[in-house]
Amino acid sequence: MMKNYLLVVLIFTNWFDAGLGFGQHNLSTPWTDKIDKNNVLGEYPRPMMVREKWQNLNGTWEFQQTKESDEVPFKKSLKDKILVPFAWESQLSGIQKQFDSNRAWYRRNFSVSNDWKGQRTLLHFGAVDWQATVYINGRCVGIHKGGYDAFSYDITPFLNEEGDNELIVNVFDPTDEAAIAYGKQNRSRFSDPQKYAYTPCSGIWQTVWLEPVPKISIKDFHITPDIDAEKITILVNPEGKVTNKMKVEVVAFEGTKEISKTTGEFNQPFELEIPEPRLWSPSNPFLYDLKISIKDSLTVIDEVTGYFGMRKISLKQEKGTQRLALNNHFLFQFGPLDQGYWPDGIYTAPTDEALKWDIEQTKAWGFNMIRKHIKVEPQRWYYWCDKLGILVWQDMPSTFKKRTEEDKIQFESELQTMIKQHWNHPSIVNWVVFNEHWGVYDVERITPNVMALDPSRLVTGNSGIDAGRPNLDFEVGHIKDNHSYRPPSLPLVSNRRATVNGEYGAIGYLAEGHVWDADGPWVHYNYKGKEDATAEYEKFIKMITEKFLQGGLSGAVYTQWTDVENEMNGLYTYDRKLEKLDKERVRKANISTWMVDKLTGKPVVGVNE
């Protein structure tokens, strides 16, 4: 494997005539040298909806910087190589460059298996930042805008009957030069390192893949669990022209044992009973398996497999205040702020093992929740959260720019898409619409819209209502969220919303040998070392458990999981190689926030270890 990775680096390290590189930022992770260039991120990319046959298009593609006026390079080789799906600014892409034009071409050839004939061929992109124009064999099949959502095209009419097919993708990514959802990306990182903003992530950054489907197929589905009524409600949307004779069959399994089966109509919600359900929680993340079929009498036309978890997230009145409840029991939700950045792949973890490791270790440190901060992850990240058992507060990526009306339409479209593409994951329990004052607008309108779109979850209108602007509390949504770093604090408790501290901590120090930018500027490195940082961490937890919990606090988010570029406030260094705080002491402190109900003194029923 090491030889494969070195070959990738040697072949793909290209230095363009135009653009700016930053080769000094070459911090590696334990998984950097485990990439197989012949099978990059080769795991099935959509575990929630699985079909047996698929084809991975990750790997070596031709690549070239371009300008807006350049012609499409049909049947023309591009001068450089890139490792897909790593952003062109990343080490692992082999490019590690930023372009003044913000544009580039991708090109590769592919063939379709003979046993796919007679079916439709779908071309899937996990995510491309930001605008992707896709061509097959000289014809444009579509244009997609949005850097965080998956999209697909039926490319069947564009394919050659025999031989190879040419796939070309043109990418335009203005990053923070436009009022788009870009999160913490900042183009000035290359020439002027910032404190709280990070390297851009341009181009293809999630898996590209092909999938054969029947002419009539399952497009998507939506599952809503109801633990009180012991059932799920499911809505199945088809692709293609269905007939009156066709029905949807849904079967639920507990392991290999079939426990429930029903049939229903397309595009209409119907119910499936789940008798005596095993409830999903961080301590018992049980998942039921699922099979969904389109049937015409006894003939199976299309079939997918997936899974679901029986869990309920809600508010519960306790001693006059609203509290966060999981499965009808108060549970203090406590986790790290997770930016989802990697020093070698930026937005993209080098391997699926690395993606899984982050979640496993988050649980090992005693957390029961993760706030996914201003980034949307690949589906496999949420799969591991479902499988391993951790709650997720999911942020919508934001902007600092002032939006036009057109920008607002684009933002709200991406917000809805984020929710719809991830709402089957039991781990996600809270949608966060805005972070602090970043691009905030129409909070009183958008928050209720999100609540209506997904009434099965909680919604935070804006996280960090007190972040220098006390008028930011619009008093909408399920959660009142303040940010208070050192020390944490408890704001005025609401009797209508649960109260949380959505960001606190930032206890950091500089760990020599594990620094991304040797020249700084560094932030949150104001402690002497591991012992001082750990003691401060314990002090803050004691404040939460002995004072704030009884006062009405329902959750807290510690900043942060790892160092990120110039931020030195992680539990791990950015390369994930060094624990910066004492893990066992932190774990003990973390568990103390949620293992025992601080209101009653009793173990948390149904959700503790």
Side-chain angles (χ1 to χ4, degrees):
M1 291 296 185
M2 183 63 180
K3 291 181 179 179
N4 276 342
Y5 172 70
L6 291 174
L7 182 61
V8 170
V9 172
L10 290 171
I11 291 175
F12 294 164
T13 302
N14 304 293
W15 302 101
F16 290 90
D17 295 332
L20 181 65
F22 66 137
Q24 71 272 25
H25 300 149
N26 288 321
L27 203 62
S28 66
T29 71
W31 306 273
T32 302
D33 62 357
K34 293 184 179 180
I35 295 174
D36 179 0
K37 69 182 182 68
N38 297 312
N39 189 31
V40 181
L41 296 176
E43 295 79 13
Y44 191 82
R46 192 187 57 199
M48 183 60 73
M49 180 175 157
V50 178
R51 289 188 176 92
E52 181 180 350
K53 295 180 180 180
W54 71 293
Q55 182 179 338
N56 189 356
L57 295 185
N58 293 341
T60 305
W61 291 42
E62 295 177 7
F63 182 82
Q64 188 172 307
Q65 179 192 359
T66 187
K67 301 186 297 293
E68 185 176 6
S69 59
D70 289 349
E71 294 183 355
V72 183
F74 298 132
K75 297 183 179 180
K76 295 180 181 178
S77 295
L78 306 181
K79 67 177 183 178
D80 301 299
K81 304 290 184 183
I82 189 170
L83 191 63
V84 171
F86 298 104
W88 66 62
E89 295 93 345
S90 71
Q91 297 175 43
L92 291 176
S93 71
I95 303 298
Q96 205 170 4
K97 286 282 185 177
Q98 184 178 31
F99 307 134
D100 294 336
S101 66
N102 304 334
R103 297 176 184 272
W105 293 112
Y106 291 77
R107 180 180 180 273
R108 66 156 293 161
N109 292 325
F110 68 91
S111 59
V112 175
S113 176
N114 288 331
D115 64 1
W116 290 14
K117 287 185 176 180
Q119 300 186 82
R120 314 298 293 179
T121 299
L122 303 183
L123 172 62
H124 296 281
F125 292 85
V128 180
D129 196 1
W130 176 74
Q131 176 180 292
T133 306
V134 181
Y135 302 87
I136 297 289
N137 294 325
R139 292 185 289 172
C140 179
V141 300
I143 300 174
H144 178 269
K145 294 181 179 180
Y148 298 93
D149 51 305
F151 59 99
S152 303
Y153 298 113
D154 182 347
I155 61 172
T156 312
F158 303 88
L159 296 175
N160 294 325
E161 291 186 7
E162 301 291 340
D164 283 351
N165 299 276
E166 181 185 50
L167 167 59
I168 293 176
V169 183
N170 178 262
V171 173
F172 168 59
D173 181 23
T175 312
D176 58 346
E177 294 177 355
I180 61 175
Y182 57 79
K184 285 199 171 182
Q185 301 178 71
N186 187 296
R187 282 182 56 80
S188 65
R189 286 295 296 163
F190 283 75
S191 57
D192 180 24
Q194 304 295 305
K195 294 180 178 180
Y196 304 104
Y198 315 135
T199 303
C201 176
S202 300
I204 299 171
W205 67 275
Q206 290 188 32
T207 293
V208 186
W209 55 294
L210 298 172
E211 177 185 37
V213 300
K215 293 180 180 178
I216 299 172
S217 61
I218 298 164
K219 183 178 181 180
D220 57 40
F221 58 87
H222 180 203
I223 297 172
T224 306
D226 186 338
I227 67 169
D228 300 314
E230 299 189 348
K231 67 181 182 181
I232 62 172
T233 299
I234 185 165
L235 173 66
V236 179
N237 298 313
E239 185 70 50
K241 188 176 181 180
V242 297
T243 68
N244 293 334
K245 294 181 179 180
M246 295 179 186
K247 301 291 183 183
V248 180
E249 181 182 85
V250 180
V251 187
F253 299 87
E254 186 175 331
T256 59
K257 179 184 177 183
E258 180 182 315
I259 62 166
S260 188
K261 179 165 67 174
T262 192
T263 58
E265 304 291 334
F266 298 102
N267 302 314
Q268 297 291 331
F270 57 96
E271 297 175 352
L272 177 67
E273 293 183 0
I274 308 297
E276 299 180 358
R278 296 177 61 178
L279 302 186
W280 184 97
S281 73
S283 298
N284 183 30
F286 179 80
L287 297 172
Y288 289 90
D289 290 321
L290 189 72
K291 182 170 68 176
I292 304 174
S293 308
I294 298 178
K295 285 191 171 182
D296 184 351
S297 186
L298 298 178
T299 303
V300 176
I301 297 173
D302 188 27
E303 186 172 276
V304 298
T305 58
Y307 63 88
F308 65 94
M310 293 295 290
R311 68 99 183 91
K312 176 182 178 181
I313 187 71
S314 62
L315 299 183
K316 184 181 181 182
Q317 191 89 337
E318 293 275 5
K319 295 188 177 181
T321 62
Q322 292 286 0
R323 303 281 184 161
L324 300 176
L326 177 67
N327 300 333
N328 295 320
H329 298 282
F330 167 55
L331 174 67
F332 189 85
Q333 298 186 22
F334 186 56
L337 192 79
D338 183 356
Q339 315 264 12
Y341 273 75
W342 300 83
D344 45 10
I346 307 180
Y347 263 12
T348 311
T351 66
D352 190 62
E353 178 189 356
L355 206 65
K356 179 183 179 184
W357 183 91
D358 259 14
I359 299 159
E360 285 180 321
Q361 291 306 308
T362 302
K363 291 204 69 176
W365 283 71
F367 296 107
N368 62 11
M369 175 267 284
I370 295 170
R371 180 181 174 193
K372 179 52 63 175
H373 192 42
I374 323 183
K375 181 199 175 188
V376 183
E377 291 285 0
Q379 280 232 10
R380 289 199 66 86
W381 187 86
Y382 302 96
Y383 164 74
W384 286 121
C385 290
D386 298 339
K387 186 80 173 175
L388 298 173
I390 199 156
L391 306 174
V392 175
W393 295 5
Q394 177 61 54
D395 288 13
M396 175 64 195
S398 51
T399 181
F400 279 103
K401 299 285 186 179
K402 185 177 180 179
R403 295 183 172 96
T404 64
E405 291 305 307
E406 183 179 356
D407 295 330
K408 292 176 182 178
I409 292 171
Q410 178 67 31
F411 172 80
E412 291 175 48
S413 173
E414 290 185 48
L415 172 63
Q416 290 183 37
T417 299
M418 177 188 75
I419 293 167
K420 290 181 178 181
Q421 289 188 349
H422 298 90
W423 59 11
N424 289 330
H425 292 284
S427 56
I428 299 177
V429 295
N430 178 23
W431 302 115
V432 181
V433 182
F434 293 106
N435 181 68
E436 296 179 355
H437 58 279
W438 302 6
V440 164
Y441 75 97
D442 291 356
V443 180
E444 296 100 328
R445 174 180 62 83
I446 297 174
T447 304
N449 286 349
V450 173
M451 295 167 68
L453 178 62
D454 186 5
S456 70
R457 287 182 174 85
L458 303 179
V459 179
T460 302
N462 63 307
S463 174
I465 58 176
D466 61 340
R469 300 189 182 188
N471 61 332
L472 284 185
D473 187 1
F474 299 94
E475 299 189 8
V476 291
H478 299 104
I479 296 174
K480 179 178 181 178
D481 180 341
N482 80 307
H483 293 175
S484 177
Y485 269 85
R486 293 189 300 271
S489 66
L490 176 66
L492 184 65
V493 174
S494 168
N495 62 0
R496 294 190 300 161
R497 293 171 293 161
T499 302
V500 305
N501 196 158
E503 291 180 27
Y504 89 93
I507 301 170
Y509 63 91
L510 198 64
E512 295 290 347
H514 301 271
V515 178
W516 181 82
D517 185 352
D519 298 322
W522 304 307
V523 293
H524 299 151
Y525 63 108
N526 38 348
Y527 292 82
K528 293 180 181 179
K530 190 172 187 177
E531 175 58 34
D532 281 359
T534 303
E536 187 82 314
Y537 189 97
E538 292 171 318
K539 173 185 171 183
F540 290 168
I541 291 290
K542 193 172 182 180
M543 294 172 67
I544 291 172
T545 57
E546 294 187 358
K547 183 177 180 182
F548 301 153
L549 252 163
Q550 288 85 349
L553 196 68
S554 273
V557 177
Y558 177 77
T559 305
Q560 62 182 322
W561 177 234
T562 71
D563 293 347
V564 181
E565 299 195 357
N566 294 104
E567 291 190 36
M568 298 292 109
N569 53 8
L571 295 171
Y572 280 98
T573 51
Y574 193 21
D575 56 14
R576 275 88 165 162
K577 292 179 179 178
L578 179 69
E579 296 171 0
K580 296 184 70 178
L581 275 66
D582 187 303
K583 183 176 180 179
E584 287 308 310
R585 287 166 62 185
V586 169
R587 171 181 165 80
K588 183 178 179 181
N590 289 346
I591 289 176
S592 73
T593 67
W594 62 274
M595 286 293 288
V596 175
D597 188 333
K598 302 301 177 182
L599 305 179
T600 65
K602 298 178 181 179
V604 179
V605 179
V607 292
N608 62 331
E609 293 181 333

